[in-house]
Amino acid sequence: MKNRIAQLRKERRITQEELADAVEVTRQTIISLENGRYNASLLLAHKIARYFGLTIEQVFYFEED
């Protein structure tokens, strides 16, 4: 599962810490998501998408290797 979290965050000039606080996770979780080491739960994916005003599909996408 890939995501656009880092891109969206940078476009909006939001720090990893600010995003983490907004969606109630640690900064380390955001780092892991951005680096592809962790896949968000459906609840977390929903919170992140909602934070950016987007759908889950606009933030997260499946890319076959």
Side-chain angles (χ1 to χ4, degrees):
M1 180 84 63
K2 305 278 184 183
N3 67 69
R4 298 176 45 221
I5 296 171
Q7 174 193 349
L8 293 166
R9 202 176 44 71
K10 289 173 186 172
E11 286 173 359
R12 290 163 172 79
R13 299 175 190 231
I14 298 164
T15 66
Q16 291 170 330
E17 189 72 34
E18 290 169 329
L19 178 57
D21 289 345
V23 297
E24 302 173 318
V25 296
T26 65
R27 180 174 164 265
Q28 188 60 45
T29 299
I30 300 301
I31 292 168
S32 294
L33 284 166
E34 290 183 355
N35 292 329
R37 292 190 310 255
Y38 174 73
N39 287 323
S41 67
L42 183 56
L43 177 60
L44 180 54
H46 179 73
K47 285 182 177 183
I48 292 170
R50 193 168 167 193
Y51 177 82
F52 288 116
L54 301 170
T55 65
I56 290 173
E57 293 83 2
Q58 291 173 306
V59 179
F60 298 88
Y61 56 96
F62 181 74
E63 189 176 87
E64 291 189 44
D65 294 334

